[in-house]
Amino acid sequence: MLVHHQLLHAAVLTPNGQWLIQHRPDSSVRVLDGATAMVELAAEIQHRIRTTRNDTR
């Protein structure tokens, strides 16, 4: 969903349950350890979006 909405460039689930994510095409790949870390990342992105929207209002 984060890739679909262009909030991440790429997110790939590996067979061992880790996630490989990339914010932009030119950024380095990060490894997240499992679903909990992915949910935490989604929460960080959501917080950043909401904070930015409040600043522009």
Side-chain angles (χ1 to χ4, degrees):
M1 187 59 82
L2 295 172
V3 174
H4 177 74
H5 289 284
Q6 299 177 345
L7 300 170
L8 286 177
H9 174 69
V12 178
L13 179 61
T14 65
N16 66 357
Q18 293 179 319
W19 284 90
L20 305 176
I21 61 122
Q22 191 175 26
H23 287 279
R24 295 178 313 278
D26 60 340
S27 66
S28 59
V29 174
R30 286 179 52 193
V31 178
L32 301 179
D33 289 323
T36 302
M38 186 57 122
V39 170
E40 290 171 354
L41 174 65
E44 289 173 21
I45 291 171
Q46 184 179 33
H47 176 74
R48 186 178 70 226
I49 290 169
R50 288 183 177 178
T51 302
T52 304
R53 284 185 186 164
N54 289 339
D55 290 345
T56 59
R57 288 184 182 177

